[in-house]
């Protein structure tokens, strides 16, 4: 009886998971198969669904993706803070676009924190993936703000994900932020999709976004794991 109750609880938890809706149609299953093949490692310990997978290897990108700019953060135990290093160059135009988006999300003009940028290009896409990530440590808390967008050749901006400026506990953050993972044809139809990792506290999953003619649509959310 106890096993039946436990199983029912797990089923209910899975059904209510907003990041892992049921994958029923052929397109969703095709994307899921592609993601599991290219980005999933062994399932980590945790309470996730049976197809949970490790997403910690976030350096895998398709061969035709050009990294124009990016950043890397490593935890510094002596400072009790992350040390981040920016690599590559962000054009003044893209920097201005991303800073403007951060301002609209609440980051003041003379903010005391640091902003880091990611710019990716794909020969097949016709647009750039751009991310700006702002952070500022305040004692046991941290201020965070983020925008992930695609910018086409006419400087038209399509925002994919955003995190308005918020202060939260650094150890138990009550926010969701996003890490670009790849630009790839997940459905085999020649269209380049944006693949992101969603990160919430003890919960990590993949999302795939289709970008077409200045509009964006989430076409997959799932996999990953939670603790």
């Amino acid at each position: 009886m106890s096993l039946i109750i436990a199983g029912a609880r797990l089923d209910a938890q899975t059904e209510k998971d907003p990041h892992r809706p049921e994958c029923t149609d052929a397109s969703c299953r095709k994307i899921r198969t592609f993601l599991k093949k290219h980005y999933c490692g062994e399932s980590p310990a945790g309470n996730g669904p049976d197809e949970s997978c490790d997403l910690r290897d976030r350096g895998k990108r398709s061969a035709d993706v050009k990294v124009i700019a990016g950043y890397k953060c490593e935890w510094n135990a002596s400072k009790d803070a992350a040390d981040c290093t920016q690599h590559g160059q962000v054009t003044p135009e893209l920097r201005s676009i991303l800073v403007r988006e951060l301002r609209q999300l609440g980051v003041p003009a003379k903010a005391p924190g640091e902003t880091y940028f990611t710019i990716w290009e794909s020969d097949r896409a016709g647009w750039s993936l751009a991310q700006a990530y702002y952070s500022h440590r305040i004692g046991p808390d941290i201020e965070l703000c983020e925008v992930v967008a695609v910018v086409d050749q006419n400087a038209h901006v399509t925002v994919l994900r955003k995190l308005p400026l918020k202060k939260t506990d650094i150890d138990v953050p009550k926010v969701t932020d996003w890490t670009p993972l790849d630009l790839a044809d997940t459905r085999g139809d020649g269209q380049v999709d944006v693949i992101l990792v969603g990160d919430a506290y003890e919960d990590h999953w993949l999302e795939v976004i289709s970008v077409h003619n200045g509009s964006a649509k989430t076409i997959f959310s799932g996999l990953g794991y939670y603790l």
Side-chain angles (χ1 to χ4, degrees):
M1 181 65 70
S2 61
L3 290 175
I4 295 175
I5 294 173
R9 287 175 179 170
L10 285 174
D11 288 342
Q13 188 175 11
T14 301
E15 290 175 2
K16 296 178 182 178
D17 188 341
H19 307 306
R20 299 171 181 84
E22 189 175 0
C23 193
T24 56
D25 61 78
S27 177
C28 180
R29 291 194 295 269
K30 192 169 188 177
I31 295 170
R32 183 177 60 188
T33 298
F34 179 90
L35 297 176
K36 291 179 73 173
K37 177 181 178 180
H38 290 90
Y39 312 108
C40 281
E42 293 183 4
S43 176
N47 300 315
D50 291 341
E51 61 180 11
S52 295
C53 65
D54 189 350
L55 304 175
R56 286 178 296 180
D57 184 4
R58 303 188 183 187
K60 285 187 174 182
R61 283 180 293 276
S62 298
D64 65 336
V65 175
K66 298 178 181 178
V67 179
I68 308 302
Y71 63 95
K72 183 177 182 180
C73 297
E74 294 183 353
W75 187 255
N76 188 319
S78 62
K79 295 181 181 179
D80 192 28
D83 281 336
C84 298
T85 305
Q86 179 74 53
H87 303 283
Q89 298 294 325
V90 183
T91 65
E93 183 180 31
L94 277 177
R95 181 183 292 271
S96 177
I97 288 172
L98 292 170
V99 169
R100 182 188 68 208
E101 294 292 336
L102 291 180
R103 296 285 183 270
Q104 294 176 358
L105 293 172
V107 177
K110 295 183 179 180
E114 300 290 338
T115 301
Y116 299 95
F117 300 93
T118 298
I119 308 294
W120 290 356
E121 294 180 355
S122 171
D123 293 337
R124 297 182 295 162
W127 40 256
S128 299
L129 177 69
Q131 175 203 35
Y133 188 87
Y134 170 84
S135 66
H136 176 222
R137 181 73 181 268
I138 309 172
D141 297 326
I142 189 169
E143 279 188 332
L144 296 173
C145 187
E146 179 187 22
V147 62
V148 181
V150 294
V151 184
D152 68 17
Q153 297 172 348
N154 297 316
H156 175 78
V157 181
T158 303
V159 174
L160 307 182
R161 296 291 183 268
K162 58 185 178 181
L163 169 62
L165 183 67
K166 183 173 182 179
K167 184 168 75 170
T168 187
D169 185 282
I170 195 168
D171 294 320
V172 187
K174 295 182 179 180
V175 299
T176 297
D177 59 18
W178 306 91
T179 304
L181 183 63
D182 204 355
L183 306 177
D185 179 4
T186 65
R187 295 164 288 175
D189 61 358
Q191 299 297 314
V192 177
D193 302 318
V194 177
I195 305 171
L196 302 176
V197 180
D199 289 303
Y201 179 62
E202 295 187 342
D203 193 1
H204 314 275
W205 65 96
L206 291 174
E207 293 199 1
V208 178
I209 306 168
S210 171
V211 179
H212 185 64
N213 289 338
S215 64
K217 179 182 179 181
T218 301
I219 56 175
F220 179 88
S221 182
L223 297 174
Y225 63 97
Y226 52 85
L227 303 177

